[in-house]
Amino acid sequence: MADKSFLAWPFFDAAHRELGEALDDWAAREIGHAHGDDVDQECRALVRKLGSSGWLRHCVPAEYGGASETLDVRSLCLIRETLARHSGLADFAFAMQGLGSGTISLFGTPEQKAAWLPRVAKGEAIAAFALTEPESGSDVASMTTSAVRDGDGWVINGAKTLISNGGIADYYVLFARTGEAPGAKGISAFIVPADTPGLDASERIEVIAPHPLATLRFTDMRLPADALLGEAGRGFAQAMATLDIFRTSVGAAALGFARRALDEATTRVLSRKQGSGTLADNAVMQSYLAEMALDIDASALLIYRAGWVRDVEGRANTREAAMAKLHATDSAQHVIDKAVQMFGGMGVVRGVPVEALYREIRALRIYEGASEVQKLVIARQHLKGAQ
């Protein structure tokens, strides 16, 4: 039932249209929206399945087994939108392979890329991105996890929290303070294999839409010199560059959730009897559907414009990505809330798709830059342009 007419928009080329159609067909056959109690096992299985079916090739550059010469934002968004419409956990599994390897794709040495990226693309290594700390969420520059030089290597102490894939990842891209300068200019990135002594990922976190999540603790964890990812002191810029690519795709996941909610709501009102007709004859229901369809199309236009700016125009899309994520995640919350209302009491029964979507959508307004942060980014970019 999903509306795929947007694939005809000029933001896409033939390869994107083929990708969108092929993935939708595959997802309808291979994955379901509901999941069981063991999300760790399911997430591992989804990574393997996404890898063996070739979809994770879009997370890495072609030189290391990827589908495109460089990371293609429109492809990432199409994949996340499609997977989210079918399964929130499948979207999560794909997204973290991209985010957790993105900094390596952008800044890694040839040896680092060769060691990890082909395995990410095949679904043989699960990736994670360790940035958030217990006392510093959106304020990344105030992180306190430390990396101190010790001979040719480094010693890491501190903690990260709310780390997706924490506890099941094969490696973490870790950001820590190395002290070259105060604030954002004194942070570096490291590649940390999950079996490194001194790393404890046993403290798991349960959230309303279950997925692998943990607090990481580092106690005198030693890393070799070649664990440093890119240039020392450039970790903040590397993290922001990675998020600039993948932030738009968060909006795309929200768009996928919203499309599924609209599909479910439309089926509901067409089939639910009310008097001599159906709920679809009700003017209030029609008003809801109109608002939902409008929010969805507006989000899609913002998302794929942001991808076009990055992929085709070849320029930074900080402003466009922030707009896309802000609007798509906030409006998806409204779309899904309306769908729940249209289902009445059934909308809050566990196992009903709109109930699961209601839980799935909430975190997207927080991670990879909360809605409030996106407003600051948009305003600052606007003022910069005006000056």
Side-chain angles (χ1 to χ4, degrees):
M1 181 178 176
D3 176 18
K4 292 187 279 188
S5 61
F6 71 99
L7 289 172
W9 291 353
F11 294 120
F12 305 111
D13 57 30
H16 292 114
R17 296 182 181 99
E18 292 172 7
L19 171 64
E21 293 285 358
L23 179 57
D24 191 40
D25 290 344
W26 177 87
R29 295 192 311 270
E30 299 292 336
I31 58 177
H33 199 87
H35 56 75
D37 295 329
D38 192 342
V39 293
D40 286 4
Q41 180 179 347
E42 289 184 54
C43 198
R44 290 188 183 100
L46 281 165
V47 170
R48 289 193 297 270
K49 182 176 284 190
L50 288 164
S52 63
S53 299
W55 307 118
L56 294 180
R57 294 178 61 239
H58 293 275
C59 292
V60 307
E63 185 177 357
Y64 299 94
S68 306
E69 184 178 349
T70 58
L71 296 176
D72 184 83
V73 176
R74 290 166 298 166
S75 294
L76 293 170
C77 289
L78 276 171
I79 293 171
R80 289 204 65 182
E81 176 186 338
T82 304
L83 290 176
R85 184 158 45 80
H86 288 274
S87 164
L89 196 60
D91 164 64
F92 167 84
F94 176 86
M96 289 314 304
Q97 289 298 94
L99 182 63
S101 64
T103 313
I104 300 176
S105 293
L106 294 173
F107 302 104
T109 64
E111 293 76 17
Q112 290 170 335
K113 292 176 182 178
W116 293 107
L117 297 184
R119 295 178 62 196
V120 167
K122 294 175 183 177
E124 296 172 353
I126 296 178
F129 187 81
L131 184 65
T132 301
E133 296 192 355
E135 301 301 325
S136 64
S138 296
D139 185 13
V140 175
S142 67
M143 72 171 58
T144 59
T145 295
S146 65
V148 178
R149 289 188 184 271
D150 182 50
D152 291 335
W154 303 84
V155 176
I156 314 290
N157 283 282
K160 299 289 180 179
T161 195
L162 296 169
I163 304 305
S164 293
N165 278 346
I168 71 166
D170 292 292
Y171 76 89
Y172 300 87
V173 170
L174 169 68
F175 297 86
R177 181 163 301 285
T178 45
E180 289 78 11
K185 295 183 179 179
I187 295 169
S188 301
F190 300 87
I191 302 174
V192 183
D195 59 359
T196 303
L199 165 60
D200 180 3
S202 63
E203 186 178 334
R204 306 301 296 276
I205 302 170
E206 293 187 13
V207 288
I208 58 175
H211 65 269
L213 200 69
T215 292
L216 311 180
R217 300 194 184 279
F218 312 98
T219 305
D220 293 332
M221 183 181 73
R222 294 182 176 274
L223 296 175
D226 61 5
L228 180 68
L229 179 50
E231 182 181 346
R234 295 286 298 164
F236 180 86
Q238 293 166 1
M240 295 305 106
T242 306
L243 291 171
D244 266 355
I245 290 178
F246 290 95
R247 183 171 288 125
T248 308
S249 79
V250 180
L255 176 60
F257 291 147
R259 287 197 194 278
R260 177 65 180 262
L262 178 57
D263 289 351
E264 296 289 338
T266 303
T267 299
R268 172 71 171 180
V269 298
L270 286 171
S271 60
R272 179 71 168 175
K273 298 296 183 183
Q274 185 181 55
S276 60
T278 66
L279 280 178
D281 300 316
N282 184 294
V284 174
M285 297 296 103
Q286 292 177 10
S287 176
Y288 279 4
L289 291 171
E291 292 169 355
M292 295 160 81
L294 175 60
D295 279 342
I296 285 170
D297 270 17
S299 294
L301 286 164
L302 286 168
I303 288 162
Y304 292 110
R305 178 190 69 163
W308 172 272
V309 167
R310 179 88 187 199
D311 296 339
V312 179
E313 295 184 0
R315 61 181 176 88
N317 68 345
T318 303
R319 173 179 175 273
E320 292 83 1
M323 285 184 168
K325 182 185 186 293
L326 174 64
H327 186 277
T329 55
D330 281 1
S331 66
Q333 185 89 48
H334 298 313
V335 168
I336 293 167
D337 187 71
K338 288 185 178 74
V340 170
Q341 194 74 8
M342 294 162 83
F343 268 74
M346 287 301 297
V348 293
V349 173
R350 183 170 291 274
V352 173
V354 295
E355 180 272 337
L357 290 166
Y358 195 82
R359 289 182 287 106
E360 293 277 9
I361 189 57
R362 190 59 185 87
L364 276 66
R365 294 169 58 200
I366 299 172
Y367 72 69
E368 292 189 40
S371 293
E372 293 77 9
V373 173
Q374 302 312 314
K375 291 177 184 178
L376 293 177
V377 171
I378 294 165
R380 289 168 182 171
Q381 290 289 314
H382 172 74
L383 292 170
K384 181 179 177 181
Q387 293 167 356

